[in-house]
Amino acid sequence: MQSETFYYDNKIPKLFAIACVFWGAVGMLLGVIIAFELAFPLLNFSDYFPYLSFGRLRPVHTNAVIFAFVGNGIFTAVYYALPRLLKAPMWSKALSKLHFWGWQFIIVCAAVTLMLGYTTGKEYAELEWPIDILITVVWVIFGVNMFGTILTRRERHLYVAIWFFIASWVTVAMLHIVNSFEMPVSFLKSYSWYAGVQDALVQWWYGHNAVAFFLTTPYLGLMYYFLPKAVERPVYSYRLSIIHFWSLIFLYIWAGPHHLLYTALPDWAQSLGTAFSVMLILPSWGGMLNGLFTMRGAWDKVREDPVLKFFVVALTCYGMSTFEGPMLSLKNVNAISHYSDWTIAHVHVGALGWNGFLTFGMMYWLIPKLFNAKLYSRKLAANHFWLGTLGIILYAIPMYWDAFRSYFMMKAFTPEGQLQYQFIDVVNTTIPFYIIRAVGGTIYLVGVFVMIYNLVKTARSGSFIADEVATAPALAKAYKAPTNSIWHSLIERKPILLLVLSLIVVGIGGLIELVPTFLVKSNVPTIASVKPYTPLELQGRDIYIREGCYNCHSQMIRPFRYEVTRYGEYSKAGEFVYDHPFQWGSKRTGPDLARLGGKYNDLWHFNHMINPAEFIEGSIMPHYPHLYDDELDTTGTISKIHAMRKLGVPYEENYEAIANKDLRTQAIQIKNNLVTESNGKIKISDKKEIIALIAYLQRLGKDIKIETTSK
Amino acid sequence: MSFSIYLTQITDVSIYPIISLSIFVIFFISVSVWVYSISKADISSMKQIPFNEK
């Protein structure tokens, strides 16, 4: 067959690499800022504007690191490795450019809308519906370009890294679409299609698998390409890599419910999540060992080569977090870790160690190649390595320590049977740990800036190779597989089949897990006293979501003595049937709010939201003065009620017509309560946002209380 | 009110985890058999792909 000459385009990988490093620095900087905010609440600047308060900034940090830093890292790897592994340029330069600019546009839209308070209130899926549609479009563009390249390839076999890329693409598409079903209310507001338990299950099925198929599998593809290249020897066991691939994508998809242990999710789904999470350790460690063994005979290089240093620690962190993950899925361990800083530590060992270090290793290898230059300074890279490692240690250890310490404080009872510590006692003793964590994050970030300097210097010392020439013969159309490998030709030479099989493999887990839970809906004994939110409460709930309260407060009391004593009766599935979206939360930086309603009077809430620390000494909650200035926008009430009814919330027909009248009546009642409770000192318009928020907070968990009282 | 009440209302609920586990075991064994039946020559040519770019 005659050889053909073609070019690998380096411009797109270069752009993605720049975007990856840039957004990485931004995302990590935001992480450092919010870490310091927890230690020093004044840094929220919430007396001046609401945009930088923890509740709004934390989603910007998580989205930036996951989708901007790691996302652009994935695309750098795909656009560099895929053409080379397939001996074909990317299928369409136009689609490559559209993908790049489309993704950066999404990131900017995400950052702006989240800071402005437009959020769906579902973690890592906070972006509102127009941006969700944009993500879908750009993701399809990426897929078409990737498959176009695969179908026009000159290499018959698909290398295992490509399998990981394909499975990641198809699964992320599935997760994004299923979890983003929402009912638009206005241009930047929507309600989740699912409610309560179902919403929680879909969300954590998504959340867990976003970790799996965005932060892990594409990065394993990256590892299977860049590690052998850096060590200059092939992967230790190609067979193991195939088993790694299929078992990992099969098992990961089932593990979502381990985020909901001891919650109102049915027990069988919790157990299923636990069983599959424990099994996950096998393929994960198979992959880690495969990576580490690839370096056999090359360990001496690790002393010298910064790329390998980063890869070794990345793989070690991958091993640590994939050992820790299954452990955290055991119910008795999860009882300690859930809602605590342990989860935060676990996530950051993965994000800083695995994703961060693998990305840095890739950059130190790739930038000199793209610019035909030697790395500017190995010494600086080594310094970056040590700064990064120290940063991770200083980040993780205080968080682990704090999680256990908080747990023991939370569950301590006096001999008389009273809780020994108030929630605020725990918060006050946590501050030093928050400070050390923030310092750890800062050190890690300094390392990133050292890398940026080093990479810029490297690029400047060389000249960019925009196109790399390559030659290879075209694929023979009529191919006959050797007789003994007819089996394998079924899959690894047929990318579309591989795509379909991957989808089936991840689909099985999703279906078995999700479908029964949806079927249960008809069997859930509805709690008669649970009623839809009043229009004012619904508006207040939207403010709660807008301010990102769920980032620090849970609304899910687990059936433990120390939780029930502290917060009240444990939560029941039937209580959340009208919650679009659910607001169970995943972290308790503040106390649980599931039974907050009626605990304090309206005046307490009114004063508390202006300056929480004045009421509760040592409170680290931001202030919300803007709620007292801004008027509640009631023009949307009608469409909100309408949307909720369409989602199955039983508002009476034509209730829209009187919804705002009811809203006003309830608002005036709260205003009057404030006047009475403050002996006439507080006079505020009933049209302010704070009134709606008070209405919502006073409603929380009350339905069950009414039932108990009536019994 | 206990959550197990939902479970009792799904017929044979315990079948779900058992089906899941069986599917995985069968799948895992099939993949392993498949992988170990690949010839050595194929395996070594595939693992060399990243080194034959040009």
Side-chain angles (χ1 to χ4, degrees):
Chain A
M1 187 67 71
Q2 202 185 343
S3 270
E4 296 173 339
T5 302
F6 52 93
Y7 295 91
Y8 298 128
D9 171 31
N10 281 342
K11 293 185 285 295
I12 292 290
K14 182 185 88 172
L15 284 175
F16 274 120
I18 293 170
C20 167
V21 173
F22 172 74
W23 290 121
V26 172
M28 291 169 204
L29 177 66
L30 289 169
V32 168
I33 292 172
I34 57 172
F36 275 112
E37 280 184 353
L38 286 182
F40 307 104
L42 276 178
L43 294 174
N44 284 282
F45 294 107
S46 50
D47 282 334
Y48 309 101
F49 39 74
Y51 313 113
L52 297 184
S53 69
F54 183 88
R56 291 198 189 188
L57 219 48
R58 191 243 179 190
V60 187
H61 160 65
T62 51
N63 279 281
V65 169
I66 298 172
F67 300 108
F69 171 57
V70 175
N72 279 309
I74 295 169
F75 304 140
T76 308
V78 171
Y79 279 85
Y80 185 83
L82 193 72
R84 286 167 171 81
L85 289 170
L86 298 171
K87 296 200 183 76
M90 283 307 291
W91 185 60
S92 160
K93 282 192 177 179
L95 287 187
S96 303
K97 276 188 194 157
L98 248 149
H99 177 195
F100 175 78
W101 290 110
W103 197 253
Q104 311 317 313
F105 180 64
I106 288 168
I107 293 168
V108 174
C109 289
V112 173
T113 53
L114 288 175
M115 282 206 270
L116 290 175
Y118 297 106
T119 166
T120 62
K122 291 171 72 160
E123 282 179 79
Y124 325 123
E126 282 101 346
L127 305 179
E128 267 299 352
W129 67 273
I131 307 177
D132 280 343
I133 293 175
L134 254 176
I135 293 172
T136 313
V137 171
V138 173
W139 200 252
V140 169
I141 288 175
F142 170 43
V144 169
N145 207 5
M146 182 161 74
F147 272 88
T149 314
I150 293 173
L151 294 174
T152 52
R153 69 194 189 277
R154 294 186 180 81
E155 166 61 58
R156 197 167 298 276
H157 286 286
L158 296 180
Y159 182 67
V160 72
I162 302 173
W163 300 23
F164 279 100
F165 295 148
I166 293 176
S168 307
W169 181 80
V170 69
T171 315
V172 169
M174 175 181 81
L175 295 167
H176 174 66
I177 291 170
V178 173
N179 192 44
S180 299
F181 269 141
E182 49 216 359
M183 172 74 76
V185 177
S186 63
F187 176 53
L188 282 173
K189 174 77 195 161
S190 65
Y191 292 129
S192 172
W193 200 269
Y194 320 101
V197 176
Q198 276 94 17
D199 197 34
L201 186 63
V202 173
Q203 159 63 22
W204 284 113
W205 171 76
Y206 162 89
H208 176 75
N209 289 302
V211 173
F213 289 90
F214 209 89
L215 298 176
T216 309
T217 53
Y219 263 52
L220 286 169
L222 189 157
M223 185 268 282
Y224 275 118
Y225 177 79
F226 286 98
L227 181 66
K229 294 292 275 187
V231 197
E232 292 170 338
R233 56 190 67 211
V235 63
Y236 168 69
S237 165
Y238 197 78
R239 285 197 172 93
L240 183 56
S241 72
I242 298 175
I243 297 180
H244 178 202
F245 172 78
W246 285 109
S247 13
L248 195 75
I249 67 164
F250 191 101
L251 290 178
Y252 246 132
I253 207 84
W254 303 75
H258 70 210
H259 289 259
L260 299 166
L261 299 178
Y262 287 116
T263 66
L265 185 76
D267 252 359
W268 68 267
Q270 296 188 23
S271 306
L272 193 63
T274 300
F276 276 85
S277 306
V278 172
M279 279 151 66
L280 253 179
I281 197 170
L282 294 173
S284 303
W285 274 47
M288 172 194 67
L289 293 174
N290 209 3
L292 289 176
F293 286 159
T294 301
M295 283 191 257
R296 78 207 178 283
W299 282 95
D300 54 311
K301 284 189 191 168
V302 177
R303 254 179 300 169
E304 300 295 320
D305 189 349
V307 175
L308 295 185
K309 279 185 188 155
F310 279 104
F311 282 171
V312 169
V313 172
L315 281 164
T316 313
C317 286
Y318 176 59
M320 289 199 298
S321 22
T322 51
F323 172 76
E324 193 183 18
M327 294 306 110
L328 292 174
S329 310
L330 300 174
K331 280 185 110 171
N332 48 355
V333 181
N334 193 271
I336 305 173
S337 74
H338 198 50
Y339 300 128
S340 84
D341 284 322
W342 189 346
T343 315
I344 314 298
H346 168 61
V347 167
H348 281 83
V349 169
L352 301 173
W354 164 243
N355 294 111
F357 271 34
L358 208 57
T359 310
F360 304 150
M362 173 176 79
M363 292 300 170
Y364 282 122
W365 184 87
L366 185 62
I367 299 296
K369 288 268 182 303
L370 292 180
F371 287 89
N372 194 25
K374 271 189 79 171
L375 184 64
Y376 169 69
S377 165
R378 280 197 163 198
K379 199 169 171 211
L380 277 181
N383 289 342
H384 172 203
F385 171 78
W386 286 112
L387 283 170
T389 309
L390 181 68
I392 296 173
I393 293 169
L394 275 183
Y395 189 109
I397 291 176
M399 292 290 93
Y400 287 123
W401 188 345
D402 180 53
F404 279 94
R405 206 189 48 83
S406 303
Y407 171 71
F408 290 122
M409 281 181 86
M410 287 287 185
K411 68 173 294 196
F413 281 91
T414 61
E416 293 76 33
Q418 305 282 321
L419 283 166
Q420 193 169 350
Y421 300 103
Q422 296 296 310
F423 194 93
I424 193 64
D425 299 332
V426 183
V427 173
N428 284 337
T429 53
T430 296
I431 303 294
F433 296 91
Y434 282 157
I435 296 174
I436 305 173
R437 181 264 297 266
V439 170
T442 310
I443 293 174
Y444 189 91
L445 182 62
V446 169
V448 171
F449 284 115
V450 171
M451 176 188 74
I452 293 175
Y453 174 75
N454 203 355
L455 293 180
V456 169
K457 280 289 203 184
T458 307
R460 288 212 173 138
S461 70
S463 64
F464 178 59
I465 307 168
D467 295 292
E468 261 177 75
V469 67
T471 51
L475 276 191
K477 284 238 161 59
Y479 172 76
K480 201 167 172 295
T483 43
N484 62 344
S485 72
I486 205 83
W487 254 85
H488 314 117
S489 63
L490 279 179
I491 296 181
E492 85 250 14
R493 284 191 279 270
K494 297 200 170 153
I496 303 289
L497 184 67
L498 185 67
L499 172 86
V500 174
L501 278 180
S502 305
L503 185 62
I504 291 172
V505 165
V506 294
I508 293 174
L511 282 178
I512 295 193
E513 205 174 88
L514 297 180
V515 169
T517 315
F518 279 79
L519 292 180
V520 173
K521 194 174 182 181
S522 53
N523 298 324
V524 170
T526 35
I527 303 172
S529 56
V530 175
K531 296 274 184 292
Y533 293 107
T534 65
L536 188 66
E537 289 160 3
L538 188 62
Q539 293 278 16
R541 190 168 202 271
D542 287 341
I543 295 171
Y544 181 94
I545 293 170
R546 183 188 74 193
E547 300 302 335
C549 305
Y550 63 89
N551 286 291
C552 291
H553 294 282
S554 57
Q555 289 186 22
M556 169 52 60
I557 303 167
R558 297 177 295 173
F560 298 136
R561 177 184 169 214
Y562 61 92
E563 293 217 352
V564 172
T565 313
R566 189 179 300 278
Y567 304 120
E569 177 69 8
Y570 67 88
S571 301
K572 318 284 191 291
E575 288 181 80
F576 305 100
V577 288
Y578 305 130
D579 282 10
H580 297 268
F582 80 114
Q583 287 290 284
W584 294 0
S586 64
K587 170 74 180 34
R588 281 184 191 145
T589 304
D592 186 278
L593 303 181
R595 304 255 175 255
L596 184 66
K599 199 169 176 182
Y600 307 103
N601 62 15
D602 292 351
L603 181 64
W604 188 92
H605 286 292
F606 184 89
N607 287 328
H608 178 249
M609 299 294 290
I610 302 176
N611 185 356
E614 210 165 88
F615 256 66
I616 300 165
E617 207 186 327
S619 169
I620 55 172
M621 186 166 135
H623 306 173
Y624 292 91
H626 59 285
L627 301 180
Y628 300 76
D629 297 329
D630 297 345
E631 291 213 346
L632 182 68
D633 177 12
T634 52
T635 51
T637 312
I638 293 169
S639 40
K640 284 179 179 181
I641 298 283
H642 187 70
M644 281 292 183
R645 185 186 310 102
K646 281 206 156 177
L647 292 172
V649 180
Y651 288 109
E652 286 165 25
E653 275 304 315
N654 298 324
Y655 182 64
E656 289 89 332
I658 53 162
N660 267 330
K661 200 171 136 246
D662 277 5
L663 181 149
R664 190 60 50 222
T665 314
Q666 193 182 2
I668 292 170
Q669 178 60 47
I670 292 175
K671 182 193 83 171
N672 292 341
N673 290 348
L674 290 172
V675 174
T676 320
E677 287 161 8
S678 66
N679 294 326
K681 279 186 200 145
I682 286 174
K683 283 179 184 141
I684 187 167
S685 155
D686 57 270
K687 292 183 175 152
K688 300 295 181 189
E689 285 189 333
I690 185 68
I691 303 287
L693 186 63
I694 291 175
Y696 173 62
L697 295 177
Q698 290 291 34
R699 169 66 187 272
L700 285 173
K702 256 190 171 166
D703 293 329
I704 291 277
K705 283 185 189 170
I706 294 165
E707 195 190 43
T708 320
T709 331
S710 63
K711 270 184 188 167
Chain B
M1 190 193 66
S2 156
F3 296 115
S4 55
I5 199 162
Y6 310 138
L7 300 179
T8 55
Q9 292 181 7
I10 315 176
T11 339
D12 297 330
V13 68
S14 60
I15 203 80
Y16 286 106
I18 294 168
I19 293 177
S20 321
L21 193 64
S22 328
I23 294 176
F24 177 71
V25 169
I26 295 166
F27 178 80
F28 185 79
I29 292 172
S30 324
V31 168
S32 303
V33 168
W34 172 57
V35 163
Y36 283 94
S37 68
I38 304 177
S39 75
K40 243 188 171 166
D42 274 2
I43 285 287
S44 44
S45 80
M46 280 188 269
K47 68 186 346 192
Q48 285 299 332
I49 291 175
F51 302 99
N52 307 327
E53 287 168 357
K54 286 185 182 172

